[in-house]
Amino acid sequence: MAATAAEHIPTDLCALRGVGPALAEKLNRLHVYQPEDLLFLLPQRYEDRTRLTPIGGLLPGNSAVVEGEIELTEIVYRRRRSLLCRISDGTGSLTLRFFYFSRAQQAGLERGGRIRCYGSARPGPAGKEMVHPEYRLLKSPVHEPLEECLTPVYPTTEGVQQTRLRRLIGQTLDAWLGEARDYLKSELTAVETLEKLPALAACLEYLHRPPPGADLAALSAGRHPCQRRLALEELLAHHLSLRLIRDRLRAESAHALPIDHELRQRFIESLGFKLTAGQTRALEDIDRDLAQTHPMSRLVQGDVGCGKTVVAAAAALNAIGQGCQVAIMAPTELLAEQHRESFFAWLDPFGIRVTWLTGSLRKNPRNKALAEIATGEAQVIVGTHALFQEGVDYHKLGLVIVDEQHRFGVHQRLKLMEKAGVDVRPHQLVMTATPIPRTLAMTLYADMDTSQIRELPPGRQPIRTVAIAETRRDEVIERVRQACLGGRRAYWVCPLIEESEALPSQAAESTHAMLTEVLEGIEVGLMHGRMSPEQKERTMKRFARGHLSVLVATTVIEVGVDVPEATLMIIENAERMGLSQLHQLRGRVGRGPGESACVLLYRSPLSDMARERLEALRKSNDGFELAQKDLELRGPGEVLGTRQTGMLQLRVADLIRDADLAAPVQSLGQRLLQEKPAAVRAIIERWIGGAERFGKV
Ligand code: ADP
Ligand code: MG
């Protein structure tokens, strides 16, 4: 059977030359606990110092090595005191600019001396310049060699500089590269969908020391086969750890919560609507799980507005019918508040006690809530992450419901699970409106079974979606005015809260001021992420009750707030947002009987990609389809993936970019779990660290 990780690599960092306990501790901050970890601390980017670039050929924004003769060094006082050093190599000249410098430094940059620098050129007041380049004086005329490999740039931490890290990693590579175990060597060939990927040692060598001429474009895009090999292993590590969590949960026991048919019947009859086929199916899945004596772990995926909450409420009755408590956790106070209202409205008529617990509760109500929870008087407890904090003792916690899963990490969920006590676990129901594609879901949520609700309740008017250039803003404002005068309400969403130089986004604050002015007689409110939860809630309530007709907001309204009278959604800078996000925002309207519209305001010119995205949104109303499209259309460098993954922190892999690895990850995972349990542990250990992730459950 496979041995534990690398028999020959020492496990103590102090085995490295130049590393003592103090440095070892600093390295820990980079998740480096043993020498092998250094091999997996991968460069964030590379610098090409293997070639000299003629000064005349320097491109602005590109980093390069240049060499030249110093023509002039002087201190200038324009605006800011700086040291300027002018060099030339016969193809052109370049100014080196230093804002911080010593007298010795100035003296060293003597006219006639030869200098080699590395930096990024930019246009300056007198031709090309480099600000604070790295440089070295050359003892001409002896030729000094350039670097042989591309220079890796590692993530650093205080007290561990780049050069030191490079040396330590170099030392580890030289001494132990061959000892790093390749757990996938024989497995990789068995996965048909996968291209041929290099062996582990070759990948590590290449990524730490890419040869001159290496494909920098592929490397910086993260698409080099050597990176893919590691990304695969990293995703596999996460997948496997989730699979282990799942297996452990299956082995635990839970209270069986079969349906109380009479209670269920009365509840369904009280609703005033009929469950959709999707809701019924999801509920059947849940009922089947809940009747078991081991904990359910189920994810319900469904588009905004498909009615996940009522499914959760029906499931809650199973627990209550068996004398168990139910905890419902939402990621924001506002959303928790909405759940409290829904659950109260649905369950209070049955004499069920719904209790509220969030971090912002004052001492007395908090103590009262805690007491109710501890005695079991509280049957349904709705709140935020405050639900799993110290001092919250449950009475007989049978079911945990978590809404908007992607905002919580696996850990947070597990923490709530532990609240039930040591010998029984609560069942776990997770709801998400993020319709991530199936392959990704199976990798990311490998600890859960999934149910999907793919239709909306009947009678919903489809939302008309139009894309309009922001130059026609006046028309849009007019439309908002007409809607509000007709008794309807509108959202106006702006991505940022303050004017920012970095993004030409329209800020919520200035839009709010503008709309307040032009929409005379119409109440316009403002809501953004920097407001306190109480302020947000107050504003949202005023909008829900109709005291405000227009709500200008950042994307904070994205999560599950329900106002049926709101029929108009304006989204600024729509071209900058991901499809799934736009789709979720759009889902805030169309919740009542009136016809609803979504206006996507964009700034011209639109890139092809942005155009295609807006077009996709106009054409489709299906979150799953759009999520798939989101994957396909994702531009380089966009971070659409991070939000969807909650706390999952990845070092090499990128869930969107590497989505095609999901299928091989699953088949590899299956093989390893069946055939090589020791390798499973070693891979998890290598990428995630053992104790943190799978020690506890
Ligand atoms: P989401 O899945 O986005 O959380 P909600 O649970 O908030 O959706 O449901 C949206 C709205 O639809 C709520 O007002 C809810 O009461 C209503 N609803 C849920 N199911 C049905 C149904 N089968 N028929 C009609 N309305 C429904
Ligand atoms: Mg919801």
Side-chain angles (χ1 to χ4, degrees), residues 338 489 491 540 543-544 561-567 588 591-592:
Q338 192 149 30
R489 278 163 238 168
Y491 290 104
M540 198 61 221
F543 183 65
V561 183
D562 201 4
V563 182
E565 295 84 357
T567 55
R588 298 295 118 226
R591 300 200 141 208

Side-chain angles (χ1 to χ4, degrees), residues 48 50-51 148-150 206 210-217 219 224:
D48 188 352
T50 62
R51 288 174 296 155
E148 280 171 19
C149 312
L150 296 181
Y206 191 96
D215 187 350
L216 260 186
L219 283 172
H224 193 280

Side-chain angles (χ1 to χ4, degrees), residues 271-277 279 300-311 335 338-339 342 346 403-404 431-433 453 456-460 560-562 564 587-588 591:
L271 285 176
F273 53 72
K274 209 169 151 283
L275 293 186
T276 63
Q279 286 172 314
V300 175
Q301 278 183 291
D303 234 337
V304 269
C306 73
K308 295 181 288 294
T309 324
V310 72
V311 171
L335 189 60
Q338 192 149 30
H339 283 329
S342 304
W346 282 325
D403 197 9
E404 298 299 342
M431 301 186 288
T432 179
I453 303 179
L456 295 181
R460 296 273 168 84
V561 183
D562 201 4
R588 298 295 118 226
R591 300 200 141 208

Side-chain angles (χ1 to χ4, degrees), residues 13-24 27 164 167-168 171:
L13 276 176
C14 296
L16 288 163
R17 248 177 296 120
V19 180
L23 181 56
L27 287 167
R164 182 170 235 175
R167 239 182 294 126
L168 289 176
Q171 187 187 332

